[in-house]
Amino acid sequence: MNEFDQYMKHVLKVKYYIRYADDFVILNEDKECLEDILKEVANFLSENLRLELHPDKVFIKTIYSGVDFLEWGHFPTH
C-alpha cells in the first residue's frame, strides 16, 4: 500500500475504500462524515503529495443512484 492508502486506512480509518491507480471510492452511510473525509483527503493530497482532486470528478451521492468507478456503473443489485 502506498502513502495515500496508509492514510486512508490507518489515519482516517475509512472502512469501505476502493482505489485503482488515481481513482478511488469511499462508501459511508453518513453524508457529513463523507464531507469531512473529503476535506481531509484534499488537504492530505495537497500538502503531502502535491496533488489536487479534480473539481468535476468528486461526487457524494447515494449508493442507489449508482457508483461510477473505472467507467462502469455499479449498483447494489448488480
Side-chain angles (χ1 to χ4, degrees):
M1 292 197 315
N2 70 17
E3 185 178 358
F4 181 65
D5 295 327
Q6 295 288 333
Y7 178 74
M8 294 295 283
K9 288 293 191 179
H10 300 293
V11 176
L12 294 182
K13 303 201 184 301
V14 175
K15 187 172 182 180
Y16 301 107
Y17 159 71
I18 305 163
R19 185 181 68 83
Y20 181 81
D22 62 347
D23 293 328
F24 64 93
V25 174
I26 300 167
L27 302 173
N28 193 298
E29 294 179 353
D30 185 347
K31 183 179 179 181
E32 288 181 26
C33 180
L34 289 170
E35 290 169 346
D36 292 342
I37 290 171
L38 180 58
K39 290 176 193 171
E40 295 291 332
V41 166
N43 287 337
F44 177 83
L45 290 174
S46 174
E47 293 174 11
N48 296 68
L49 303 177
R50 296 188 213 170
L51 297 172
E52 294 180 9
L53 294 171
H54 193 291
D56 298 332
K57 296 183 179 182
V58 176
F59 307 99
I60 296 177
K61 55 187 186 177
T62 67
I63 192 85
Y64 298 105
S65 61
V67 175
D68 296 323
F69 185 60
L70 303 177
E71 307 214 7
W72 287 86
H74 301 273
F75 295 88
T77 57
H78 60 284

